Structures are given as C-alpha cells and as structure tokens.
C-alpha cells in the first residue's frame, strides 16, 4: 500500500545510479521502458560490443584477485579466454577473432601494470546521499596514488573498450565519474579528485583533476535530474493513462536511436535512425 503523504513532510530520497540519471537525459521514453514499465517491453538481441566490454572488465577484475605471483600478462589473457561472453556476434568465427583481439588488449594492458600496486578497490560499489538523492555505483578500479601535499589520494579508473574516440573532455564531463569520486571520498574518508578513462584499444589514458567546485556542480546537476525523474515517477504511479505517456516521457530522437534496446517499440526512433545489427558496434580489426 502506498504511504500517505502529509503537507510539509520532506520528500523521500530518490534512489538511483548515474546510469539511471543519464538514461533520463538521453531519452525519457527509454527511461520509462527500462525502469518503470511492468512488465518491461522485450529488449532487442544482445550487443556484441557490450559482450566484449564485459569480458574485458571481468578479466581485469579477476586479474587483481589472483595471488600476486600469478599476476602476469599471460594470466590476464587466460582469464579473458575462460570468461569470454559469446553473445551478439554474427558467427562463432567472428566471435573467435574478437576474442583473440581482446586477449591482446588485456595482455598488453596488464603488462603495463605493477602487479604489486594493489588497488584500494576493484569493482567497488560506493554510495552517497544528499537531501535529494541516494546514489550508488560500481567503480572498475580505485587506486591510491601519491598526492601533491604528501600522503595519498584516491583515483577513479574506468576501462573503455569501444571504438569511439575519447578525449579529456569525456573524463571532465562524465557525471558518473564525478559521482564515483564524491562517493569514494565520503565512503573511504580520503581525498578523491582525479578521474581517468583508460582506453585499451589505443593504450591512452584521459584524466581530469576535479576541483571541489566542479564536483559540487556535478552533484547539483545529479540532484536536478533526479528531481525531474522523481516527478515523472510519481506521475507514472498516479497512475498515468497509457495515452498520456508521451506527455511525461517524450521520445528524444537522434541518430543514436539505432543502438537503443527498445527500438522495436518506438516508431519515432525507427524513423530517426538506421537499425543496427548486434555486431555493428565492434571496432574494425
């Protein structure tokens, strides 16, 4: 039974992840289908580039969990091979080719790591709250590095395997990375200002050093988006008539609609973009 509300009572904190907030920003209709519709509309087939990314992330996380003497580049490749996710590819042959390529990525990246430089966290879940939101997320890797003032500070590391060309601006503008830095600092009671994107296909690292004010700006933005989401969620629970969905959750179309898991349920998205095959997001070999 829904709780009775009383005038003047504080609003319940909006529980979310950065992904939920950015989904709302990308497309309110996709947000509704993914988070509110029950039952949720069936999604399209799995994407091969997501399978590849998950395989690489799992291998690198598993590598840090190995005993120190076993943390070799070859071991990282072995973990990739063992945990390969074979979904979304055009054929077993294509999958095998990308598996071999991904193994080279993982082994090359692991070869540049100091296996004895133990991270503070691997696949570490962090959370924080304000007067508006309770937000949580999982960090690929959390490092401790020497700080300018002596001692150490935390660094948020996010692995990237996509074909998209990255820049420092991607690290600077990422709402998720900023929220992770804020949450990690609060949970572990240590400074955390630097965020990094590690792009394995090119071997490049794109980092940004936040200031207290830039982190506050990201947090205020997250609160503003969460307030919009909470208002929309409440209207959905009112309940909202199906013929009024688009008043609250309008489609936000772009060429990126071709990658939406709910494209089959969205005529506007189909008109705005070319439908993509599950393996179209893979980098050219």
């Amino acid at each position: 039974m829904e709780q009775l509300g009383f005038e003047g009572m504080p609003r319940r904190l909006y529980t979310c992840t950065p992904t939920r907030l950015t989904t709302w920003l990308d497309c309110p209709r996709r947000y509704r289908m993914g988070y509110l519709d029950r039952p949720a509309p069936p999604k399209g087939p799995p994407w091969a580039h997501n399978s590849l990314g998950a395989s690489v992330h799992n291998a690198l996380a598993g590598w840090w969990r190995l005993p120190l003497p076993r943390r070799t580049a070859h071991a990282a490749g072995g973990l990739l091979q063992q945990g390969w996710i074979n979904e979304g590819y055009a054929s077993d042959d294509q999958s095998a080719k990308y598996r071999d390529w991904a193994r080279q990525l993982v082994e090359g990246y692991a070869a540049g790591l100091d296996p004895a430089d133990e991270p503070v966290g691997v696949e570490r879940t962090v959370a924080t709250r304000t007067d508006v939101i309770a937000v949580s997320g999982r960090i690929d890797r959390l490092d401790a590095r020497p700080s300018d003032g002596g001692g150490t500070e935390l660094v948020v590391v996010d692995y990237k395997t996509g074909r998209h060309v990255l820049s420092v601006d991607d690290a600077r503008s990422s709402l998720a990375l900023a929220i992770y830095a804020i949450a990690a600092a609060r949970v572990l009671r240590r400074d955390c200002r630097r965020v990094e994107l590690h792009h394995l296909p090119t071997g490049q690292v794109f980092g940004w050093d936040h200031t207290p004010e830039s982190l506050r700006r990201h947090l205020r933005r997250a609160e503003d988006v969460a307030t919009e989401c909470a208002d929309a969620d409440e209207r959905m629970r009112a309940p909202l008539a199906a013929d009024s969905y688009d008043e609250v959750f309008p489609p936000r179309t772009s060429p990126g609609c071709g990658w939406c898991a709910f494209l089959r349920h969205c005529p506007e998205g189909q008109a705005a973009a070319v439908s993509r095959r599950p393996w179209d997001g893979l980098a050219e070999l």
Side-chain angles (χ1 to χ4, degrees):
M1 186 170 66
E2 192 165 328
Q3 213 173 9
L4 292 176
F6 296 92
E7 190 175 349
M9 284 184 64
R11 190 176 200 172
R12 181 181 300 175
L13 296 184
Y14 184 75
T15 302
C16 60
T17 63
T19 299
R20 183 168 182 143
L21 299 179
T22 54
T23 300
W24 170 263
L25 290 174
D26 289 343
C27 179
R29 176 180 285 176
R30 178 156 62 92
Y31 171 92
R32 172 181 61 78
M33 290 182 177
Y35 291 102
L36 302 180
D37 282 357
R38 293 295 179 269
K43 292 184 178 182
W47 298 103
H49 62 275
N50 287 343
S51 296
L52 188 150
S55 299
V56 169
H57 279 71
N58 293 341
L60 291 174
W63 188 79
W64 283 111
R65 297 185 183 112
L66 293 174
L68 179 57
R70 292 180 53 198
R71 290 180 196 163
T72 65
H74 181 73
L79 290 169
L80 185 284
Q81 188 99 12
Q82 294 165 23
W84 183 247
I85 301 171
N86 186 31
E87 293 184 344
Y89 295 92
S91 64
D92 289 342
D93 182 61
Q94 186 191 55
S95 175
K97 288 178 180 177
Y98 278 92
R99 183 193 61 216
D100 293 343
W101 178 71
R103 178 166 188 158
Q104 292 176 20
L105 292 186
V106 167
E107 290 182 348
Y109 182 76
L113 298 173
D114 178 357
D117 188 12
E118 204 75 43
V120 175
V122 174
E123 296 290 323
R124 172 70 186 258
T125 297
V126 293
T128 191
R129 61 177 57 200
T130 70
D131 292 338
V132 178
I133 59 173
V135 60
S136 63
R138 190 167 61 184
I139 302 172
D140 291 344
R141 196 176 85 219
L142 191 61
D143 288 349
R145 301 189 196 157
S147 62
D148 294 337
T152 61
E153 62 181 4
L154 302 175
V155 177
V156 173
V157 173
D158 193 58
Y159 304 131
K160 293 295 182 184
T161 59
R163 64 182 184 179
H164 174 63
V165 178
L166 300 174
S167 70
V168 170
D169 212 43
D170 290 299
R172 179 192 63 80
S173 62
S174 171
L175 178 66
L177 293 183
I179 293 297
Y180 296 157
I182 294 166
R186 292 182 179 180
V187 168
L188 299 174
R189 301 175 185 270
R190 297 166 69 177
D191 288 341
C192 185
R193 300 178 302 109
R194 184 166 179 81
V195 297
E196 293 180 350
L197 299 171
H198 290 207
H199 190 237
L200 272 68
T202 61
Q204 293 179 287
V205 173
F206 302 93
W208 182 257
D209 292 296
H210 278 290
T211 64
E213 177 53 33
S214 68
L215 290 174
R216 282 194 292 270
R217 283 198 301 270
H218 274 289
L219 191 57
R220 286 196 296 269
R221 180 173 176 239
E223 290 179 325
D224 289 343
V225 177
T227 299
E228 292 180 19
C229 292
D231 289 343
D233 290 6
E234 287 181 5
R235 292 187 66 180
M236 184 75 173
R237 289 193 295 264
L240 185 68
D243 59 5
S244 299
Y245 281 175
D246 285 354
E247 296 175 15
V248 183
F249 305 94
R252 188 167 293 149
T253 59
S254 74
C257 289
W259 302 104
C260 181
F262 298 112
L263 183 61
R264 67 174 74 175
H265 309 290
C266 181
E268 292 86 350
Q270 293 171 29
V274 176
S275 180
R276 303 289 183 172
R277 298 173 301 182
W279 55 89
D280 281 347
L282 293 168
E284 294 288 339
L285 296 188

